[in-house]
Amino acid sequence: MAYRSLEACIQDLEQNSQLIRIKEEVDPYLEMASIQLRAYEKGASAILFEKVKGSDFRALSNLFGDIDRSRFLFRDTIAMVKNIALLKKDPLLALKNPLKYISTPKHLFNALPKKVSKRSAKFLETTIDKVPQITCWKNDGGPFITLPVVYTEDIDQPGWIKSNLGMYRIQLGGNDYIQNKEIGLHYQIHRGIGVHQSKANAKGEPLKVSIFVGGPPALTFSAVMPLPEGMPEFAFAGMLGGKRIRYFIEDGYTVCADADFVITGEVYPNDVKPEGPFGDHLGYYSLKHDFPVMKVHKVYHKKEAIWPFTVVGRPPQEDTSFGAMIHELAGDTIQMELPGVKVVHAVDAAGVHPLLFAIGSERYTPYLKERYPAEILTQANHILGFGQMSLAKFLLIAAEEDNKNLNIDDEEAFVQHILERVNWERDLHFYTKTSIDTLDYSSEGLNTGSKVVIAAAGKQCRTLASTFMVTNSYPEGITNVKVVSPGILAVSCKAFENYEKATIEMESWAKGLKVFLGDKSSSMPLLILCDDANFVSDTYNNFLWSTFTRANPSHDIYGIDSFTTFKHWGCKGSLIIDTRIKPHHAPPLILDTEVEKRVDQLFARHTELSKL
């Protein structure tokens, strides 16, 4: 559907019974976020807030809260965008199947942004304090834009062709920011905006930044789409939206004429201030750190502008649909980008970046009498060097030849497949002192940590136990054990103090757990040391979340009968991952009880929300 505006999108959703209106006044401090969290969990439609306390503007949430709704928004273009993605990688496809690609020129024309006059955009001006000041979590540093589309250009090659659109965190107030004059700009490493800012810094010049909020849904989605090198997101937005994106130039800034709001400003070299805390997608707060300050130039808005927002928190959340749509649009290109790799799955329940699953292939080793990981190790290196996947900490990769029907989206079955085949003496491969997600606090340093590849190929070498009967006394310091899943045991133990003490504890516990497990040692190849085995074993998502967000591979992986030979570390018995909460970890996100009571009442009296 070629929406001309976010308003047109809302009308379409309402006509198709996919919109809920909340007419009573709602508070942007915690209350609106709580409504969105609950609405997403219950599978609600998109929600239009018609009265936002302290603002004259309406707000919209849950627009992308369901994968089917996301498909509905792009129903007229999604198939062709998939084809174009494949065509870019293999132009010969057009010759092989011309009818399939016959309409490609029309869609490519929509990818060309259209320059218009400022007058045709019909923008008004306002100030930062007048837009909805949405604060999602009680310890957040202030209100944030949670669906910003941040536009920058290459200072050496100005214009949209070398532009970058990204969804980077924007703090509107709080901390040391001067109200209406300064806002915080937080972006992670390996992002396109970083290249632009580095070039501007080298010249000693400020980087001009435009922040678009609202507009056609394709504009928002384009900011999170991982595109091939050389394809600007600004162009992709038009192609996906089925309509050319309009823009004009004002005071040297590119202003999207289709957005509901546009904030323009400059980022000066080495000008930073503390940004955060912020409740983030790993399920914890990202803490206060110095990030670039944007000096606000102007704030534009449409006459009946709508402020879209989402809530970032422990997954799954609305951004889960982003990931699913990205996979639908670009998943078929994985095999072209990464030779031998069949599919990659970023595990949403573990916060996306911390944990990747992959299925590769062992194509070139037919002479091996006994199969073991070979080519899939090369493929693992490709994966960890590819775009945002380079931020992963844990990569579990299996060989397609071992099970042609292995479903990478069935997370429990995939892990079980790995555990049935992995050889802990051989199949662990560490990367130490490297970069990880900026938002990940499992390491003691910002942006720095470690990675591990767990590669499994070959015949099943063990049968996993689904039950465990406690027959021996617990080793000293261990208080409880629970089966998480076949082959995985959660082990409650004393609280973490420091790594020096943990190293000593692990030596003792590894010996004690070897005796404790007895003849179950082989059938329980993975032990999760934790603060609360009941919580970890309660749901598989709890296991995925707590294990892979809280562990730093180089520091937190141990094993029974471990050894180091020629710098290769392994263990002869069960692998142990220490997932206890550590002093340097960020605090988890917790809902405010008083706000939850108010939202309970709102849901009870609202005609549509009460039915959810």
Side-chain angles (χ1 to χ4, degrees), residues 547-577:
T547 298
F548 297 102
T549 61
R550 294 176 184 173
N552 177 19
S554 62
H555 288 51
D556 296 323
I557 288 181
Y558 303 86
I560 293 175
D561 291 335
S562 64
F563 62 88
T564 303
T565 303
F566 297 119
K567 301 180 179 65
H568 176 82
W569 185 92
C571 60
K572 297 178 181 179
S574 303
L575 191 75
I576 302 171
I577 305 180

Side-chain angles (χ1 to χ4, degrees), residues 516-532:
F516 178 71
L517 291 173
D519 60 5
K520 287 283 190 180
S521 180
S522 175
S523 60
M524 284 293 179
L526 182 57
L527 309 179
I528 305 300
L529 290 188
C530 56
D531 298 299
D532 185 355

Side-chain angles (χ1 to χ4, degrees), residues 150 152 155 170 183-187 193 196-198 200-201 204-211 253 264-272 291-296:
V150 183
T152 56
I155 197 168
I170 307 297
I183 56 179
L185 175 59
H186 174 130
Y187 64 85
I193 188 175
H196 289 171
Q197 188 178 353
S198 294
N201 287 355
E205 298 180 19
L207 176 69
K208 290 189 179 297
V209 178
S210 301
I211 301 169
Y253 296 92
T264 59
E266 292 179 315
V267 176
Y268 285 81
N270 304 315
D271 189 4
V272 297
F291 276 96
V293 177
M294 177 174 156
K295 306 292 186 183
V296 177

Side-chain angles (χ1 to χ4, degrees), residues 311-352:
V311 180
V312 187
R314 179 185 165 181
Q317 296 296 341
E318 185 176 1
D319 51 4
T320 299
S321 294
F322 279 144
M325 276 295 294
I326 288 170
H327 182 73
E328 283 199 17
L329 291 172
D332 290 340
T333 67
I334 285 289
Q335 295 180 37
M336 297 180 183
E337 296 277 6
L338 304 169
V341 176
K342 303 303 178 182
V343 63
V344 179
H345 172 53
V347 180
D348 186 68
V352 180

